Amino acid sequence: MLSRVIQRRFNSSQTASNLKKTALYDLHVALGGTMVPFAGYSMPVLYQGQTHIESHNWTRTNAGLFDVSHMLQSRLTGAGATEFLHKVTPTDFQALEQGNGTLSVLLNEHGGIVDDTLITKQRENDFYVVTNAGCIERDSEFIRSEIKNFTGDCQWDVVQGRSLLALQGPKAHEVFEPLLREGQTVKDLFFGQRRSYELFNGIPVDVARSGYTGEDGFEISLPNDKAVEFAQLLLDNQHTKPIGLAARDSLRLEAGMCLYGHELNEDTTPVEAALRWVISKSRRAGEGTKFNGYEKIMDQINSNSYSDVRIGFKYLKKGPAARTDAKIFLPDNKTQVGVVTSGSASPSLGNINIGQGYVSKANRKTGTQLSVQVRNKFFPIELAKLPLVPTHYYKP
Amino acid sequence: MFARALVRPSGTNGILRLFLRAQSTNALTKTSLPFTYSTSGPSKVLYTNQHEWIAAHQDGTAFVGITTYAADALGDATYVELPEPETELEAGESVGSVESVKSASEIYQPVAGTVLEANSALEESPQLINEDPMGAAWIAKIKINDAKDLETSGLLTLEAYEESLKHDEH
């Protein structure tokens, strides 16, 4: 096992020639990034001079710069764009104000989650959509087929030639604001909002106050040919360090966020995924366009007709982490009631083990004591409210 | 990780200095118990190609741990699973595991023997694995079944182990 882990980590660059590179690839390498294959891209998992835990803690206390250009940026436009979104998501995009974005889910005909996505209303019937890198093929197939069957006017276009950088952490605004052209500010850009800005050197950037760490921060879209210069400017600030995929995963796990393929898949509905809040109240009555899987999802809400639900947990004592696919039991260590979808030590909680998983509805309550099996041993856990570490979003 | 350290500095002096350091990185720490257990030090220090080390003393007692190379590759250790005393283990059986935030890795017994003691310091301070993997972070103290196994189990000398790492890095 030891040798396998090492092989995987050290040989990962061998296949790099088949992998796509983001505009920041050379910068990652120059910064000493350990590059690994991720969703078809060669991406940095960790940078020289920082351990995983140091990267994690740096983002919670300063500002971490993440290259998330591998994620798919796209646009939905046309007179029927809102109606189309109402077919493929359960969220009310008519009521959403311009310049605001929200997390939502793409639903298949059975109400299963094709992908989770951040969708921003730029103007009436003009939406900016960010979806997962790992889902590009399935998402494209899904959206194209849905558009084909849609009678209204809606176009879907992949945004080409733009990088996406996330600057996350309590000092993110201190790092970013001084780079704006004079007179511009992010003080009135609140969590979920997105706006166009211009940097002091004339570079145009689209800035969303959002992220995947639970901290305040920004996701900034800009032309590829300006991305390195911009990243360098951010890194010139002593509060900023480049942060890789390793810390990105531990940060999102603490923040209670889902990772597609772990917490979410096409057999899981937003009700089961404990994401009811993406199902807008105004969409539940079924007036106008019904979202995919409407009957099933509404029945789950109204009649509790589902069995398992996503939960968070913490260990009650030390032990090896319960990772993906570890089984969850009643305290008798015999009756299985669930399964772990993500788990690791939590750097923000003194390295106690935490995780997310699914358990049967009857055992979902916060404070319920259960156990997890790791190899042949059992370790007691307690279900805990998500997020497992408090979030710090910038809200009015 | 230290593969990268070897190639990054631009000046020749930097490369030479790092190379010398790398040469001794996987040697046993002379001030820790695995070395000082006998006054004359261990009679043999050998390595597996899965990055465990074993320091065997004249009386048949040996210490087992993971190499600096392995510890660097794993990153911050967050938990070490230790063996129970009196466990009898064949060569290649799991003697414990080391967890980082990202992954868990088994540690395999280099030669057959019985666990005498686990290093309980690792329970409170798993980070010792990163600070002194070749010494204070020994994982198990064992009684070797047959000292001849050290010769016949395909274990590597320090030189051979570090030579094998060069191939690992290409």
Side-chain angles (χ1 to χ4, degrees):
Chain A
M1 177 67 89
L2 207 44
S3 66
R4 229 181 308 145
V5 170
I6 288 167
Q7 291 290 328
R8 198 172 45 202
R9 294 187 62 150
F10 280 79
N11 291 346
S12 48
S13 56
Q14 287 188 343
T15 51
S17 52
N18 315 323
L19 296 168
K20 288 181 270 184
K21 293 172 179 175
T22 70
L24 296 184
Y25 176 84
D26 290 341
L27 180 63
H28 298 315
V29 173
L31 291 167
T34 303
M35 306 304 287
V36 299
F38 184 80
Y41 282 83
S42 177
M43 298 299 288
V45 68
L46 193 67
Y47 293 87
Q48 190 171 37
Q50 304 175 61
T51 69
H52 178 166
I53 292 176
E54 285 165 356
S55 295
H56 181 111
N57 291 338
W58 185 270
T59 308
R60 288 265 182 261
T61 48
N62 289 284
L65 178 64
F66 303 76
D67 180 11
V68 291
S69 306
H70 57 303
M71 298 191 78
L72 187 71
Q73 305 178 69
S74 64
R75 261 179 91 183
L76 273 172
T77 51
T82 306
E83 194 191 342
F84 178 74
L85 279 177
H86 283 192
K87 173 80 170 35
V88 295
T89 80
T91 309
D92 188 344
F93 285 99
Q94 189 59 57
L96 190 70
E97 284 178 40
Q98 289 185 30
N100 278 265
T102 180
L103 183 78
S104 189
V105 288
L106 300 177
L107 296 172
N108 66 26
E109 58 179 320
H110 308 294
I113 298 172
V114 176
D115 199 0
D116 55 333
T117 171
L118 186 70
I119 301 178
T120 305
K121 190 187 221 173
Q122 308 195 105
R123 277 168 294 280
E124 222 34 65
N125 286 313
D126 179 352
F127 297 92
Y128 168 75
V129 181
V130 180
T131 45
N132 278 304
C135 298
I136 287 177
E137 269 181 45
R138 171 62 183 138
D139 287 351
S140 306
E141 172 204 43
F142 170 78
I143 293 171
R144 293 212 169 95
S145 128
E146 286 283 341
I147 285 184
K148 213 172 122 194
N149 297 329
F150 179 68
T151 48
D153 167 31
C154 181
Q155 291 90 46
W156 182 61
D157 300 291
V158 171
V159 173
Q160 305 285 358
R162 287 179 81 83
S163 294
L164 190 61
L165 275 62
L167 185 69
Q168 299 280 296
K171 294 191 177 155
H173 69 285
E174 283 175 42
V175 171
F176 181 57
E177 175 132 335
L179 299 179
L180 294 175
R181 185 168 51 75
E182 227 178 304
Q184 297 188 109
T185 180
V186 289
K187 282 195 181 66
D188 57 353
L189 182 76
F190 296 105
F191 179 70
Q193 295 182 326
R194 188 169 185 269
R195 201 177 294 160
S196 296
Y197 287 90
E198 196 179 295
L199 300 185
F200 72 91
N201 54 7
I203 297 176
V205 291
D206 292 330
V207 183
R209 200 135 196 173
S210 56
Y212 196 48
T213 61
E215 297 300 326
D216 178 28
F218 309 94
E219 288 175 310
I220 303 149
S221 173
L222 78 170
N224 279 342
D225 61 358
K226 305 290 183 201
V228 171
E229 183 184 351
F230 176 57
Q232 290 280 13
L233 284 168
L234 295 170
L235 290 167
D236 283 344
N237 190 307
Q238 57 168 1
H239 295 309
T240 313
K241 283 190 180 182
I243 308 292
L245 292 170
R248 183 168 160 83
D249 190 48
S250 51
L251 290 158
R252 74 90 196 165
L253 179 63
E254 290 181 347
M257 291 167 174
C258 298
L259 174 61
Y260 196 85
H262 284 250
E263 282 71 38
L264 308 177
N265 61 49
E266 292 217 31
D267 296 322
T268 307
T269 70
V271 175
E272 293 158 340
L275 293 173
R276 280 182 195 224
W277 61 273
V278 306
I279 311 163
S280 304
K281 291 275 188 306
S282 50
R283 303 289 320 281
R284 297 182 185 188
E287 288 159 9
T289 306
K290 282 183 182 159
F291 51 83
N292 287 344
Y294 174 84
E295 305 295 336
K296 178 176 176 179
I297 287 172
M298 289 316 299
D299 193 58
Q300 289 187 339
I301 291 176
N302 295 328
S303 319
N304 279 326
S305 58
Y306 62 102
S307 56
D308 297 337
V309 66
R310 182 172 66 103
I311 49 82
F313 66 84
K314 293 179 184 174
Y315 270 44
L316 292 170
K317 58 175 204 175
K318 290 183 182 182
R323 300 179 192 269
T324 309
D325 294 335
K327 292 172 178 168
I328 303 175
F329 291 84
L330 292 180
D332 67 3
N333 296 343
K334 289 189 178 76
T335 317
Q336 190 184 346
V337 293
V339 65
V340 173
T341 48
S342 298
S344 79
S346 163
S348 305
L349 298 174
N351 291 339
I352 66 154
N353 289 313
I354 59 165
Q356 295 183 37
Y358 280 79
V359 299
S360 53
K361 214 169 42 198
N363 297 292
R364 73 178 298 180
K365 259 183 90 171
T366 297
T368 303
Q369 299 207 352
L370 299 169
S371 73
V372 285
Q373 184 182 8
V374 183
R375 295 180 279 278
N376 294 316
K377 291 184 189 156
F378 295 88
F379 298 89
I381 59 168
E382 184 174 271
L383 299 193
K385 224 171 132 63
L386 293 170
L388 298 162
V389 168
T391 52
H392 300 100
Y393 300 130
Y394 184 70
K395 291 182 173 177
Chain B
M1 238 150 269
F2 82 59
R4 197 172 290 285
L6 279 178
V7 295
R8 269 185 66 77
S10 47
T12 317
N13 285 341
I15 290 174
L16 189 63
R17 196 170 59 244
L18 280 163
F19 183 66
L20 289 173
R21 190 167 66 90
Q23 276 200 317
S24 57
T25 292
N26 295 295
L28 200 63
T29 310
K30 293 209 161 87
T31 49
S32 294
L33 183 64
F35 193 94
T36 60
Y37 173 78
S38 327
T39 45
S40 55
S43 50
K44 281 196 177 71
V45 182
L46 295 166
Y47 299 80
T48 70
N49 52 22
Q50 311 219 52
H51 312 285
E52 289 96 6
W53 55 262
I54 179 165
H57 292 261
Q58 212 63 54
D59 67 353
T61 303
F63 294 81
V64 174
I66 66 167
T67 65
T68 303
Y69 178 84
D72 284 352
L74 290 168
D76 305 295
T78 52
Y79 180 77
V80 183
E81 206 170 13
L82 297 167
E84 295 291 330
E86 293 174 41
T87 312
E88 292 175 23
L89 294 167
E90 292 299 320
E93 283 192 294
S94 174
V95 65
S97 67
V98 180
E99 298 245 336
S100 66
V101 179
K102 198 80 191 143
S103 64
S105 302
E106 299 273 351
I107 307 152
Y108 299 112
Q109 178 88 339
V111 293
T114 304
V115 176
L116 299 172
E117 188 187 342
N119 184 2
S120 56
L122 293 170
E123 286 172 10
E124 283 309 308
S125 307
Q127 70 276 13
L128 278 177
I129 290 282
N130 303 102
E131 291 163 4
D132 188 13
M134 296 299 312
W138 59 275
I139 285 156
K141 179 178 160 187
I142 64 167
K143 192 80 181 173
I144 295 177
N145 285 0
D146 186 346
K148 282 208 273 309
D149 290 348
L150 291 168
E151 318 289 343
T152 56
S153 304
L155 299 176
L156 307 170
T157 62
L158 176 59
E159 292 69 30
Y161 173 67
E162 296 207 321
E163 188 60 35
S164 75
L165 295 182
K166 289 182 197 156
H167 299 294
D168 240 28
E169 288 156 13
H170 289 298

